[in-house]
């Protein structure tokens, strides 16, 4: 029986690896999902039959309820709400790690890790670390969800001695863990849980909306490590493998995102990064009376129709307006006129990694037309029109030209090098980073003010007429 279980877990682990590999590309993402579904189904079935149970009734009920809720949410969720959905999922993983570790601590005999007051030392280490990471993931993900959903302000919440307080809590968790190992005290265990829950709130609260993509990828990594620690407690090798895969891939993605935003990975882990609270005021003061060229849908359609090449740069504004379908229709009209149309995706466009790719895929935009920053950035200099729809900070030339800017050094899409820049935006307001976009005032930029979806639809009508 143990040989069959080991073989089944091995197959599940390989499926998870193939799932990650498939999800690395839009063309193979569907197969990646199928590998992940099969691997998880096999893992669940194998786990249920490897242990002795008096009744599967409660487990079957839990699977039915959880699966039903998941199916309903998956069918009804809007693509624009995916970031907060992912954050909510992360919170559930964190809470699961806390509950499993707590169950093992209260009833160690059921898990074969010792007796109450006499647990194996290695199990205590695993439980202590797992419950701390899980608790931080749970409350941190709740804050991320609330910010993304608009339940609380997306602005950074910064207060005096914030970093010192976080450091003190980290030290307290470490001391409580040592006491737990030496005395196996219930008070020390629950102190770890309580302080970790508070620390999760305080780590994410000071982070602004512009940095949410990194937050989500980092919380994803935390949830993986929490699951891996739980796997050690349960002595389940597959949970260790899957948790390590999620933790490592999330950490790698976070590092890539940090490079894309010119952030320090250590500041992410410590919760010490976020928008400059004075940046918005600086941006408002910096605009002055600079001239801005404003155009209409008719002006834009004329410029686009007479171009030979167009690069579309989508951002979160497109997601909010749900303009991806109208945008694809506009691109199809231009292609029918013989115009080359491509899409440029910045690594941190939107509110989560891959957010723009998912929205464009939903609108059936051909995968070959969607290119990443390093693939297309050099082409802007030979492009007739750069059509920016809702992207702000990721196109701001201040990242190259202003050493005092909070985004200085961040890799951006060099849209200012195009012959003409059409910038769709509701107003002249700064982006999430609170930094005024120099691109608005360039002589080759035309601002198209209004709702992104309505603007694209008006451009399509003008192209047809």
């Amino acid at each position: 029986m143990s040989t069959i279980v080991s073989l089944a877990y091995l197959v599940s682990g390989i499926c998870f690896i193939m799932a990650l590999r498939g999800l690395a590309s839009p063309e193979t993402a569907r197969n990646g999902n199928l590998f992940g579904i099969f691997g998880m189904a096999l893992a669940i079935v194998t786990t249920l039959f490897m242990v002795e149970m008096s009744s599967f009734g409660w487990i079957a009920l839990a699977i039915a309820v959880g699966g039903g809720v998941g199916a309903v949410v998956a069918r009804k969720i809007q693509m624009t709400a995916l970031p907060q959905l992912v954050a909510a999922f992360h919170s559930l993983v964190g809470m699961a790690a806390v509950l499993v570790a707590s169950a093992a601590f209260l009833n160690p005999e059921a898990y074969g890790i010792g007796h109450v007051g006499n647990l194996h030392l290695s199990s205590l280490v695993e439980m202590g670390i797992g419950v701390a990471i899980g608790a931080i993931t749970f409350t941190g993900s709740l804050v991320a969800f609330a910010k993304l959903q608009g339940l609380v302000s997306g602005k950074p919440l910064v207060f005096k001695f914030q970093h010192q307080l976080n450091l003190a809590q980290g030290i307290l968790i470490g001391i409580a863990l040592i006491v737990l190992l030496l005395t196996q005290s219930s008070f020390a265990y629950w102190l770890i849980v309580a302080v970790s829950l508070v620390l999760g709130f305080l780590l994410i609260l000071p982070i602004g909306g512009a940095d949410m993509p990194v937050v989500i990828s980092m919380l994803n990594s935390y949830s993986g490590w929490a699951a891996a620690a739980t796997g050690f407690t349960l002595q389940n090798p597959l949970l260790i493998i899957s948790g390590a895969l999620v933790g490592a891939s999330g950490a790698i993605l976070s590092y890539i995102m940090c490079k894309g935003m010119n952030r320090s990975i250590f500041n992410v882990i410590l919760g010490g990064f976020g928008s400059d609270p004075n940046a918005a005021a600086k941006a408002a003061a910096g605009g002055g009376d600079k001239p801005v060229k404003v155009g209409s849908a008719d002006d834009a359609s004329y410029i686009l129709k007479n171009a030979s090449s167009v690069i579309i740069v989508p951002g979160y504004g497109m997601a909010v307006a749900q303009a991806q379908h109208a945008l694809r229709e506009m691109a199809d009209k231009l292609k029918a006129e013989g115009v080359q149309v491509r899409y440029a995706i910045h690594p941190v466009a939107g509110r989560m990694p891959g957010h723009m790719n998912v929205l464009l895929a939903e609108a059936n935009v051909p995968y070959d037309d969607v290119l990443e920053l390093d693939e297309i950035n050099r082409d802007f200099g030979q492009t007739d029109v750069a059509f920016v729809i809702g992207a702000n900070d990721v196109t701001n030339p201040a990242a190259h030209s202003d050493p005092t800017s909070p985004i200085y050094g961040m890799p951006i899409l060099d849209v200012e090098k195009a012959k003409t820049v059409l910038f769709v935006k509701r107003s002249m307001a700064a982006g999430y980073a609170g930094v005024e976009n120099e691109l608005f005032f360039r002589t080759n930029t035309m601002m198209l003010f209004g709702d992104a979806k309505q603007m694209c639809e008006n451009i399509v009508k003008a192209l047809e007429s």
Side-chain angles (χ1 to χ4, degrees):
M1 184 66 177
S2 61
T3 303
I4 297 176
V5 169
S6 299
L7 181 60
Y9 276 171
L10 177 60
V11 173
S12 296
I14 293 174
C15 286
F16 293 152
I17 295 173
M18 295 300 293
L20 283 176
R21 181 180 180 183
L23 293 172
S25 171
E27 291 90 342
T28 58
R30 186 181 298 274
N31 289 335
N33 274 323
L34 293 177
F35 273 115
I37 292 170
F38 177 78
M40 183 55 68
L42 179 61
I44 292 173
V45 172
T46 303
T47 302
L48 290 177
F49 283 97
M50 68 176 287
V51 295
E52 295 181 2
M53 296 184 186
S54 57
S55 173
F56 286 95
W58 287 108
I59 294 177
L61 177 62
I63 292 175
V65 173
V69 172
V72 171
V73 171
R75 290 182 65 86
K76 291 189 174 182
I77 193 72
Q78 295 291 329
M79 298 301 260
T80 51
L82 277 180
Q84 46 265 53
L85 178 65
V86 172
F89 283 163
H90 290 161
S91 70
L92 296 179
V93 175
M95 178 50 67
V98 173
L99 293 176
V100 171
S102 299
F105 182 76
L106 295 174
N107 187 17
E109 294 90 347
Y111 297 87
I113 57 175
H115 306 278
V116 176
N118 187 27
L119 280 79
H120 300 161
L121 184 62
S122 59
S123 298
L124 282 173
V125 174
E126 296 152 7
M127 279 189 288
I129 295 176
V131 77
I133 299 175
I136 291 172
T137 303
F138 173 67
T139 51
S141 298
L142 288 181
V143 174
F145 171 83
K147 287 195 172 192
L148 292 168
Q149 189 67 17
L151 301 178
V152 298
S153 173
K155 296 180 180 180
L157 177 60
V158 182
F159 53 88
K160 196 173 183 180
F161 302 120
Q162 185 171 38
H163 298 303
Q164 290 84 346
L165 177 60
N166 289 346
L167 176 61
Q169 290 181 98
I171 294 174
L172 181 57
I173 292 173
I175 294 174
L177 179 58
I178 294 174
V179 173
L180 176 65
L181 297 179
L182 295 176
T183 66
Q184 302 197 15
S185 164
S186 296
F187 175 79
Y189 176 84
W190 294 114
L191 180 63
I192 294 174
V193 175
V195 177
S196 298
L197 289 172
V198 175
L199 183 59
F201 277 114
L202 295 181
L203 284 176
I204 307 302
L205 282 174
I207 299 175
D211 300 316
M212 276 299 135
V214 187
V215 172
I216 291 177
S217 63
M218 203 65 218
L219 288 171
N220 177 54
S221 179
Y222 289 166
S223 67
W225 297 125
T230 303
F232 280 107
T233 300
L234 300 179
Q235 300 178 25
N236 188 304
L238 183 61
L239 191 55
I240 297 172
I241 293 172
S242 58
L245 284 172
V246 174
S249 60
I252 293 171
L253 180 59
S254 298
Y255 176 74
I256 294 172
M257 301 291 284
C258 285
K259 288 185 64 178
M261 297 187 72
N262 193 33
R263 303 292 191 186
S264 166
I265 187 68
F266 295 105
N267 286 340
V268 180
I269 296 172
L270 298 175
F273 76 117
S275 303
D276 179 1
N278 300 317
K282 296 175 184 176
D289 297 321
K290 297 178 183 178
V292 177
K293 188 190 299 182
V294 181
S296 64
D298 290 334
D299 298 325
S301 67
Y302 178 81
I303 294 172
L304 290 167
K305 192 172 183 178
N306 287 278
S308 61
S309 61
V310 173
I311 297 179
I312 298 173
V313 180
Y316 188 67
M318 181 194 76
V320 172
Q322 298 188 42
Q324 60 269 26
H325 295 282
L327 182 65
R328 192 218 67 211
E329 186 179 0
M330 184 192 80
D332 290 344
K333 294 291 183 184
L334 292 175
K335 289 180 179 179
E337 297 289 339
V339 180
Q340 181 190 32
V341 180
R342 293 173 294 170
Y343 298 78
I345 306 297
H346 192 279
V348 294
R351 289 190 172 180
M352 65 176 286
H355 196 185
M356 295 301 103
N357 303 75
V358 171
L359 292 174
L360 294 178
E362 185 206 13
N364 294 319
V365 172
Y367 297 139
D368 293 340
D369 292 347
V370 182
L371 303 173
E372 302 296 329
L373 179 145
D374 56 349
E375 297 176 302
I376 199 171
N377 221 19
R378 64 174 62 92
D379 294 348
F380 281 104
Q382 292 79 43
T383 299
D384 293 322
V385 179
F387 188 86
V388 184
I389 176 169
N392 199 333
D393 297 325
V394 298
T395 62
N396 194 340
H400 294 325
S401 60
D402 185 3
T404 64
S405 173
I407 64 171
Y408 182 72
M410 182 177 84
I412 63 167
L413 291 162
D414 296 327
V415 298
E416 78 275 7
K417 295 180 180 179
K419 295 178 182 177
T420 302
V421 178
L422 299 177
F423 210 117
V424 182
K425 207 171 184 295
R426 289 182 180 272
S427 68
M428 292 289 290
Y432 277 118
V435 181
E436 181 182 67
N437 196 336
E438 297 178 3
L439 191 59
F440 299 165
F441 312 103
R442 296 291 177 92
T443 56
N444 63 331
T445 298
M446 177 183 289
M447 301 298 298
L448 305 174
F449 292 116
D451 177 78
K453 181 179 179 182
Q454 188 64 52
M455 180 61 67
C456 289
E457 291 175 347
N458 290 341
I459 292 175
V460 169
K461 292 177 183 178
L463 289 171
E464 291 175 341
S465 61

